[in-house]
Structure formats: C-alpha cells, structure tokens
Amino acid sequence: GNVFTYEDVVQNKKMTKADGIMSAEGILDNPALFLPRLGSNDDDDTAKSTNITIADPSPLGNNTQGSNKSEDVKLKRKLLKKLRDIQTIEDKIQSSGDTSINNEQKVKLSTKAELTKELELIVAKEQGGATESEVESPEKREMTARTKQISLRKLYNGANDKLSLANEYLSLAKMYPTMIRTVVFHVRRMCKDLLNQYQLMEECVASKSIDQVESVVAKCIKYRADPGSFMFDTQMAAREKEA
C-alpha cells in the first residue's frame, strides 16, 4: 500500500526485504512508476546513450516489420472495428441484460472468437512472419518475437507526459482489444488533471469507442499546445459543482 513514487518502491523494498514491490493505485495514475529501475534520467548524456530493449511492434516509434503490407493493415483495422462493435454489444448486455440485444447483434457476438484468432494471426505476422500454425503454438510464437532498441531518454520523455502515455496505452488497446470501460478508466486516471482542466472528463467517461477516447486526448493536446483555443465553460462548471 501507499506505493505512489519510485522512492516509495525503493523504501518499501529496503524496509521489508521483499523480492519485489507491487503498486495498485499509484501505477494507475502513473504507469511509468517503475521506469527509474532501468536507469536515471539525471545525466543527459547517459540517458541519451543508454538503450533499452522493448517489444517490436510497439506503439513507441515506427515499426518497420510486416505492418507495411497494405492488405494486412486494412484487414487489421476492419477486425479491430468489428471487435469494438462486439465490445459495445457486450457492454449493453452487462448493463441491460441478454434480452436487450437483437438477433443481428447475437450473430456478431458469435464471431468474436474467430475475429480474435484472425487478429492474432496478423499481429504474429507483424512480429516476425509467423504462420497460422505458429499462432496456435505459444512456444513457436515466442521464438518469433522481435525486439527493438529505444533510448532511455525517449522513454523518460514519454513517461513525463501523461498525454503521451495515454496515446501509447490507446495504441496498445487497439492492438490488443479490451473492454471500452477499461480503456476509459485507465485514460481517465492517467489524464485526470488535464481532463478536469479542459472540462473533458465528462466526454471521456461517456466515450463508447477507442476512437472517441483518442479524440478527447487529441483535444487535450490541442488545448495544451494552444491555450487560447480553449474556452472555459462557466455553465458546465456550475453543473459539475452542483453534481
């Protein structure tokens, strides 16, 4: 408990002699909480010259393997859209029950496993030209996993920018679809201060797709870059205060 900074991690580990430290609430607000374990950002030259190995493909930087095939890219987008539609249906069932969806929506739900498998195949191909049989075999898929190098400084630059972290998370959510309420929850926690500052919290919470959440984050980026483009809504502020 109460692990909110990396200093908390170090002190807890020292005090408890534990093999590892976990964070619950703290890492929701700061997904990069454990980044300092890879090295310090105090020395500019060291941070620039120190490279860290990460997975490839990754939302950090450009991926030059596999994903440049236009047909796979188009198919991946279509699959992700279909899976987002299915997620919307599942959310509706959870909130209103099984009887709240029609036959067409039931048919869409039945295709989830097939669509997910097809998406996994494309992702595996991006990671190193895997075949369908390799997708079905975790051991073989692990053998084809690719990595790339990124400077520690670049990691810190992203970690110090909550909007950058949010966009990185959204990219991962598109690659590995999850429930939209989970996506909204994590972006809301990461960008809480900026969402409140620009009166976008309500819009973020109401988002029904990753694209809508991305649009909210994009507005934050725009307002931060050009403060004059943001107009404070006094009526909205009054409604929020009353609520």
Side-chain angles (χ1 to χ4, degrees):
N2 294 322
V3 178
F4 295 105
T5 68
Y6 190 68
E7 287 73 21
D8 294 334
V9 174
V10 174
Q11 290 302 317
N12 273 276
K13 194 172 187 300
K14 181 179 179 181
M15 179 179 65
T16 63
K17 310 294 184 185
D19 293 327
I21 302 296
M22 297 175 64
S23 172
E25 291 294 316
I27 205 165
L28 292 175
D29 294 326
N30 178 21
L33 190 153
F34 290 98
L35 176 59
R37 81 189 191 281
L38 299 176
S40 173
N41 192 37
D42 295 336
D43 188 327
D44 188 64
D45 292 334
T46 301
K48 286 181 179 178
S49 61
T50 301
N51 289 324
I52 305 299
T53 301
I54 63 173
D56 182 22
S58 164
L60 293 173
N62 296 321
N63 172 39
T64 59
Q65 301 292 335
S67 61
N68 59 344
K69 297 180 180 179
S70 59
E71 291 185 3
D72 280 352
V73 171
K74 291 178 182 178
L75 178 57
K76 184 178 179 181
R77 288 174 180 169
K78 289 180 180 179
L79 291 171
L80 288 171
K81 183 180 185 304
K82 289 180 179 180
L83 287 168
R84 288 196 295 271
D85 291 341
I86 288 174
Q87 183 58 61
T88 300
I89 296 172
E90 291 177 334
D91 289 343
K92 185 176 182 181
I93 291 175
Q94 183 161 359
S95 62
S96 305
D98 293 338
T99 58
S100 64
I101 64 172
N102 56 37
N103 289 333
E104 182 180 352
Q105 291 171 320
K106 291 178 181 179
V107 171
K108 286 185 177 181
L109 276 178
S110 69
T111 65
K112 181 177 180 179
E114 181 181 350
L115 294 173
T116 301
K117 182 178 179 180
E118 194 171 355
L119 179 62
E120 287 178 349
L121 177 59
I122 293 176
V123 172
K125 286 169 64 179
E126 291 176 342
Q127 292 176 334
T131 64
E132 184 172 358
S133 62
E134 289 173 327
V135 172
E136 293 172 350
S137 169
E139 293 80 8
K140 290 184 178 180
R141 190 188 315 176
E142 184 176 350
M143 291 174 63
T144 64
R146 304 184 67 90
T147 59
K148 67 195 300 184
Q149 296 287 309
I150 185 171
S151 72
L152 183 59
R153 168 47 53 85
K154 186 172 183 180
L155 285 177
Y156 269 108
N157 287 343
N160 292 330
D161 183 354
K162 293 299 180 69
L163 296 177
S164 176
L165 283 175
N167 274 330
E168 181 183 343
Y169 169 72
L170 290 171
S171 295
L172 287 168
K174 283 186 172 182
M175 292 169 65
Y176 308 101
T178 186
M179 295 179 291
I180 185 60
R181 66 175 179 272
T182 300
V183 175
V184 169
F185 172 80
H186 285 295
V187 172
R188 177 174 63 85
R189 287 296 298 261
M190 274 185 271
C191 304
K192 177 175 58 180
D193 293 339
L194 288 168
L195 290 171
N196 286 327
Q197 178 180 342
Y198 297 126
Q199 297 181 296
L200 290 169
M201 180 63 78
E202 184 177 336
E203 185 176 343
C204 179
V205 172
S207 295
K208 299 299 182 183
S209 69
I210 292 179
D211 289 339
Q212 290 180 356
V213 180
E214 282 185 322
S215 176
V216 173
V217 174
K219 288 180 182 178
C220 285
I221 293 174
K222 175 187 175 183
Y223 294 149
R224 185 177 64 180
D226 180 14
S229 63
F230 170 68
M231 299 295 292
F232 186 80
D233 189 331
T234 55
Q235 293 183 345
M236 178 184 291
R239 289 196 303 269
E240 291 175 348
K241 187 175 181 179
E242 291 175 359

